[in-house]
Amino acid sequence: MEPIRKHEGLVYPLNRANIDTDQIIPKQFLKRIERQGFGQFLFYNWRFEDDGTPRENFSLNDKKYEGASILVAGENFGCGSSREHAPWAIQDFGFKVIIAPSYADIFYNNCLKNGILAIIQPEEVTEKLIEKAEAENYTLTVNLENQTIKDSTGFEVSFDVPEYHKEMLLNGWDEIAVTLTHEDKISQYEAAQN
Amino acid sequence: MSQPKTIVEKIWDQHVVHQEEGKPDLLYIDLHLVHEVTSPQAFEGLRMNNRKVRQPEKTFATMDHNVPTLDRYFIKDPVSKKQIDTLKANCEEFNVPLADIGHPDQGIVHVIGPELGLTQPGKTIVCGDSHTSTHGAFGALAFGIGTSEVEHVLATQTLWQNKPKTLNVKVNGDLGVGVTAKDLILAIIAKFGVRFGTGYVIEYTGEAIRNLTVEERMTVCNMSIEAGARAGLISPDEKTFEYIKGRRHAPAGEDFDIALEKWKALATDEGATYDATVEIEAAEVEPQVTWGINPGMGLPISANVPSPNTAKTAVEREEIERALEYMGLEADQPISSVKIDHVFIGSCTNSRLSDLRRAANIVRGKKVNPSVTALVVPGSQTIKLRAEEEGLDTIFKEAGFQWREAGCSMCLAMNDDIIPSGERCASTSNRNFEGRQGNGARTHLVSPEMAAAAAIEGQFVDVRKYSAPTLSS
């Protein structure tokens, strides 16, 4: 996976709580056997009418958010299914960072495994970011190394990230290769069970 | 005596392969269940890196999400067909045992694991599917994983995991007549919300849980993920051991006795502590119906649909308004007044033989309302066969239900079983998310009994007042 250290990008605000994986990527698009190409289906049923024309009242279709790479949403983002197609769709669409008050556990892990930085911020902060991004063209700079989020007007907050996750993201490591350095321990464990 | 432990701590400690300061634990996985939707990219990853499946015999695959329920061998959608064919080819290439589409063991992965005796107390079980929590009913630590983790388990038989916090959901007293395990778990999620379990493993305890059958416990554990918990489990007891004994992959003879000794030691010790505890009184639980677009938006059958005016925050208000609009419901209307177009009895939540028996008891001798299309999809081919031996299929068919082949079917509508936009379904499945059963489809989650009664009445009805042979007492 691609390492992520520092990212500056346009914010897209999606002011909804409990956004589930069926909304992020509806089930009819889970049939592909590749990892790529899911971005076109992101939030499909919210973005498009039944006949495939873009819905005017869904904000992601608004030109002002074109090229956005930081998604700010409400709490419990990514609840529901374990489908990794959800982070694949988010990433393929162009998002590199998500900021929300909380995430579903499986979704959070899936982001990490794909090099998407999922940041937890208190609701006061996410609400403020959403408000700003709804009002104006709003850009944030996210720095994983020193764990900060900044805008151009002096706003700055820090965020927590478990050390192991940080290391994985900064280096873009292949986790299986890391695990296989402990293969002797796995074999010992298996031998002891038999 | 050593420090009292919860079952979660015991299973965890038995499975740690490697521990290091500042890192998650490397946890050994005893059983890896695989299906066609979340595995192709994982097998592809193995191929690209020239890796093998470390323990094919600890891996078991089946096809369920895309399987047609009319003619199993005729998959209309070429993309679905390719996904099915890909799993078969991958299993052959990597020597993974497979209950193929025509195999008598085929079924929903969370139904056949227990059915075949693969699911056992004390095991760590994973699958690229969030309803893997189902297997917790046996006292296993079972949780859903993404495709990258599927690849990781295939290659290493392990996962890096942070030790989870434990949450005791204690259910006091016993459920009333006509109130089911499904109603209990829906009531728990309605009461505590769709994220109260996030970051935790739930252990369900209390008299009502002990009194549930093993299959009812599977219904409860299945929906742990709808409360945010990756895993939910129940300490095993005599009922659990009895259920497993004699199943094909269960230990047999002397091995069973050896396993039994280990299993008996798993239950949470007296005096063990949890990171959090919530309690609910079973006697207060009524038959449930969800009204909205997440499983926490549930109501007792006697209640009215909520109004946005009851919302405590702006976000909550927006959520209620959006749910009412999507579901085509009026604020404050009685949920029992809602008319339905479809009934789906099936899914990994409620498609086992006991679920079908209880629904058949409601349906026996009655007719499905002419305005309703009703479907029964058994959880596995074995269940289908056994139900037919008992004549359950005849009861359903005579009433006007369609009797289908095993699979996930209308729970998530990846096959051809789709609810048309704007139509309404009483469903025994686990998720009422927007578009889950078809774009624009409106899902109400209920128990098999409530679904059966709704099929006959054409609208929701309190099954406790509904005349059925088994409820006459």
Side-chain angles (χ1 to χ4, degrees):
Chain A
M1 80 190 185
E2 291 286 313
I4 180 165
R5 287 177 175 266
K6 192 173 172 185
H7 177 74
E8 184 181 341
L10 182 68
V11 176
Y12 168 60
L14 187 50
N15 194 15
R16 294 181 182 185
N18 302 314
I19 294 174
D20 60 74
T21 50
D22 279 77
Q23 308 320 311
I24 297 171
I25 180 133
K27 79 273 167 194
Q28 63 268 35
F29 307 117
L30 305 182
K31 300 178 182 182
R32 299 157 66 102
I33 57 169
E34 302 84 19
R35 269 178 192 254
Q36 293 78 27
F38 288 99
Q40 55 187 312
F41 310 124
L42 179 69
F43 299 123
Y44 192 87
N45 294 343
W46 286 351
R47 268 166 71 204
F48 299 104
E49 302 286 353
D50 292 352
D51 64 4
T53 55
R55 282 184 205 269
E56 275 179 20
N57 62 357
F58 188 62
S59 57
L60 192 55
N61 292 327
D62 193 327
K63 280 253 179 292
K64 74 173 176 178
Y65 297 122
E66 221 169 70
S69 58
I70 299 175
L71 173 63
V72 184
E75 58 183 331
N76 200 28
F77 188 79
C79 60
S81 134
S82 66
R83 59 187 72 161
E84 199 160 310
H85 313 67
W88 293 338
I90 287 170
Q91 191 168 48
D92 190 50
F93 191 86
F95 290 108
K96 296 191 171 359
V97 176
I98 310 173
I99 305 173
S102 60
Y103 300 89
D105 292 338
I106 305 176
F107 177 83
Y108 182 83
N109 264 324
N110 284 342
C111 284
L112 175 70
K113 311 286 176 190
N114 287 281
I116 300 172
L117 178 54
I119 297 174
I120 299 169
Q121 283 292 303
E123 210 157 7
E124 316 77 274
V125 175
T126 57
E127 277 172 5
K128 198 171 150 191
L129 297 177
I130 286 170
E131 210 173 289
K132 286 199 170 189
E134 282 176 346
E136 59 187 274
N137 195 310
Y138 188 56
T139 300
L140 286 172
T141 303
V142 176
N143 188 323
L144 176 58
E145 256 172 331
N146 61 22
Q147 298 176 217
T148 57
I149 306 172
K150 285 183 193 175
D151 73 7
S152 57
T153 66
F155 162 85
E156 181 176 343
V157 284
S158 62
F159 61 89
D160 287 332
V161 56
E163 201 48 45
Y164 175 74
H165 292 184
K166 185 174 174 178
E167 216 178 1
M168 293 297 298
L169 288 164
L170 285 174
N171 296 293
W173 275 335
D174 168 10
E175 197 179 34
I176 295 175
V178 174
T179 306
L180 288 174
T181 64
H182 301 287
E183 198 173 4
D184 54 331
K185 291 220 169 163
I186 301 172
S187 297
Q188 277 168 25
Y189 180 91
E190 285 171 339
Q193 300 305 304
N194 295 328
Chain B
M1 195 187 143
S2 59
Q3 184 81 13
K5 283 185 186 176
T6 63
I7 179 169
V8 175
E9 294 170 295
K10 292 183 193 182
I11 299 175
W12 195 273
D13 293 349
Q14 288 168 11
H15 288 84
V16 174
V17 170
H18 174 75
Q19 245 168 350
E20 216 174 302
E21 186 68 29
K23 272 193 177 183
D25 292 346
L26 188 63
L27 200 69
Y28 197 78
I29 302 303
D30 295 319
L31 174 64
H32 185 193
L33 300 167
V34 173
H35 65 80
E36 78 274 18
V37 180
T38 55
S39 65
Q41 296 86 352
F43 283 112
E44 183 59 22
L46 294 185
R47 255 190 302 273
M48 275 161 43
N49 293 289
N50 204 17
R51 288 171 178 147
K52 289 189 172 61
V53 175
R54 183 178 176 88
Q55 294 281 358
E57 70 281 11
K58 291 180 180 171
T59 314
F60 190 89
T62 194
M63 292 135 177
D64 51 11
H65 285 63
N66 284 279
V67 174
T69 58
L70 277 173
D71 179 354
R72 272 194 283 171
Y73 302 102
F74 180 54
I75 304 173
K76 285 188 209 152
D77 181 351
V79 195
S80 283
K81 172 106 177 36
K82 190 169 181 196
Q83 202 164 56
I84 295 267
D85 292 345
T86 302
L87 178 61
K88 191 177 160 91
N90 283 331
C91 288
E92 278 167 11
E93 182 182 341
F94 291 95
N95 295 315
V96 170
L98 168 72
D100 200 355
I101 205 155
H103 195 281
D105 291 340
Q106 178 268 338
I108 305 174
V109 69
H110 308 309
V111 173
I112 67 172
E115 194 170 77
L116 295 170
L118 290 162
T119 303
Q120 292 166 21
K123 276 191 177 180
T124 45
I125 302 176
V126 297
C127 174
D129 192 286
S130 59
H131 292 111
T132 308
S133 58
T134 312
H135 307 266
F138 292 81
L141 182 63
F143 52 93
I145 56 178
T147 298
S148 295
E149 289 178 311
V150 169
E151 185 179 337
H152 193 279
V153 178
L154 288 173
T156 71
Q157 206 60 34
T158 63
L159 277 177
W160 294 98
Q161 294 286 304
N162 286 310
K163 194 169 180 175
K165 293 180 287 178
T166 54
L167 169 60
N168 178 12
V169 174
K170 188 163 182 275
V171 189
N172 299 316
D174 205 7
L175 294 169
V177 175
V179 183
T180 69
K182 181 64 163 288
D183 300 309
L184 173 61
I185 189 63
L186 285 172
I188 288 170
I189 301 166
K191 181 169 180 174
F192 301 111
V194 289
R195 48 186 175 269
F196 85 99
T198 304
Y200 291 97
V201 168
I202 294 175
E203 182 181 347
Y204 299 94
T205 66
E207 188 190 339
I209 299 296
R210 293 264 73 87
N211 290 342
L212 294 177
T213 65
V214 173
E215 295 195 351
E216 289 169 332
R217 292 176 187 180
M218 283 192 247
T219 300
V220 171
C221 290
N222 172 272
M223 290 191 71
S224 301
I225 185 66
E226 313 319 331
R230 282 177 84 182
L233 49 56
I234 294 170
S235 285
D237 57 16
E238 288 303 323
K239 286 183 197 175
T240 324
F241 310 142
E242 196 53 41
Y243 191 93
I244 295 169
K245 199 172 185 178
R247 292 183 185 266
R248 196 184 317 153
H249 292 274
E254 214 174 284
D255 288 344
F256 185 84
D257 297 330
I258 295 166
L260 193 60
E261 284 313 302
K262 286 186 193 161
W263 295 347
K264 282 182 173 169
L266 284 168
T268 291
D269 297 327
E270 188 82 38
T273 54
Y274 299 87
D275 294 298
T277 297
V278 296
E279 295 192 42
I280 184 166
E281 302 302 318
E284 290 170 12
V285 177
E286 284 184 46
Q288 302 281 310
V289 182
T290 64
W291 64 271
I293 52 173
N294 73 48
M297 294 174 161
L299 292 171
I301 180 67
S302 61
N304 297 345
V305 172
S307 156
N309 298 334
T310 61
K312 292 177 203 80
T313 64
V315 172
E316 195 189 335
R317 186 185 179 89
E318 192 271 342
E319 223 179 1
I320 295 176
E321 283 170 347
R322 200 155 43 85
L324 290 175
E325 191 193 339
Y326 182 83
M327 292 299 289
L329 296 173
E330 299 291 329
D332 299 321
Q333 89 176 89
I335 192 72
S336 60
S337 69
V338 175
K339 294 202 164 30
I340 55 158
D341 309 298
H342 299 264
V343 165
F344 170 60
I345 297 178
S347 88
C348 56
T349 317
N350 281 126
S351 65
R352 295 173 191 86
L353 193 59
S354 55
D355 295 313
L356 304 189
R357 282 180 185 150
R358 294 196 315 273
N361 270 334
I362 304 286
V363 166
R364 194 191 307 270
K366 297 194 175 67
K367 292 284 178 204
V368 170
N369 192 285
S371 65
V372 175
T373 306
L375 209 65
V376 182
V377 181
S380 70
Q381 290 300 329
T382 306
I383 291 170
K384 179 170 184 269
L385 198 69
R386 288 192 58 194
E388 287 168 357
E389 284 164 5
E390 291 182 16
L392 301 183
D393 60 323
T394 311
I395 296 171
F396 283 117
K397 283 191 278 194
E398 281 180 0
F401 276 85
Q402 298 176 37
W403 179 252
R404 298 288 189 88
E405 303 278 348
C408 299
S409 177
M410 211 176 253
C411 173
L412 85 168
M414 273 189 79
N415 66 356
D416 297 324
D417 306 334
I418 297 170
I419 305 280
S421 186
E423 296 190 16
R424 197 179 291 286
C425 182
S427 179
T428 67
S429 55
N430 40 54
R431 289 196 176 128
N432 49 349
F433 295 150
E434 292 172 59
R436 174 86 178 172
Q437 296 190 293
N439 193 10
R442 294 161 172 166
T443 304
H444 297 269
L445 303 176
V446 287
S447 71
E449 289 89 327
M450 286 287 284
I456 290 166
E457 295 299 316
Q459 66 185 74
F460 293 112
V461 53
D462 188 338
V463 74
R464 294 172 301 179
K465 295 180 209 150
Y466 199 73
S467 65
T470 48
L471 297 178
S472 57
S473 61

